[in-house]
Amino acid sequence: MGVVGAGPWAQMMHAPMLSAGGETVLSAVWGRRLTSAHALADQYGAVGTDQFEEFLAQCDAVSFAVPPDVQAALAPVAARAGKPLLLEKPIAMTLPQAREMVAAIDATGVPSQVVLSRRYSQRIRAFLAQVDGMQVTGLRTSFVSGAFLPDSPFRTPWRLREGALLDVGPHVLDLMDAVAGHIDQIEYTGDPQGWLAVTTRHASGAVGQASISSVVPGFLWDCDVFGPAGIVSAPQRPDDERDEVQRTIAEEFATVCRTGISHPLDVHRGLYLQELIQG
């Protein structure tokens, strides 16, 4: 596996995830700054480079941990080289970029998978199985953190410029869709730089409400589902969930690579979520 990116998210998530898996080995790191690529690659006995073609020659599949516009530019190059793609959300910075990227990937036939991390949690998968088939009248969810506050590793230029909606909105809308079905209408109130309220109307008739902010100290992620059968709430997140999620992502991406079949959470799922946010 090769990791595109050598910044905080590559260091915290992608490199350790792909190096720890029993089915994956980290073989290469590409970075815009050669010193950063070497620094990360050396920790795992991998090749570090700032030359993308050289990077592609060192790996069988590619994992992206770079800003969305960089991902949108480089993912089609990797796809044309025949490399399965593990993509971050959002898949691009703008909707036209996302559509162009998806068309380019589709033209190659390579499989893809998107890191919508909560969907790889056994806790959330059990929760979704519990509400599967339930008549949903409404749902309520929150994604509130201090990710954009000073000293946070996630306080990056593109996130500060675009706001919390483009950053964590894919997580929120993906789960709302998974719970209550296709989102037909969406309304936003507030400010993605501060506090944003989201109302969704689903093909099932359900109405959803979400609160999103990245400027509140602490962390809150919850989801409650309401219907004639009662209320079902997602279990609280255990402290050790990150290790489980990383292991599951790596294992399922290895399956994508072996079979050549895209994950259910593929680049088209990423495009659907981008259309909800920017359409």
Side-chain angles (χ1 to χ4, degrees), residues 210-232:
S211 299
I212 299 174
S213 180
S214 293
V215 294
V216 178
F219 181 80
L220 173 65
W221 182 88
D222 56 5
C223 185
D224 302 305
V225 182
F226 307 89
I231 303 171
V232 179

Side-chain angles (χ1 to χ4, degrees), residues 3-18:
V3 171
V4 179
W9 194 233
Q11 298 168 29
M12 295 166 58
M13 175 73 168
H14 286 253
M17 173 178 71
L18 295 174

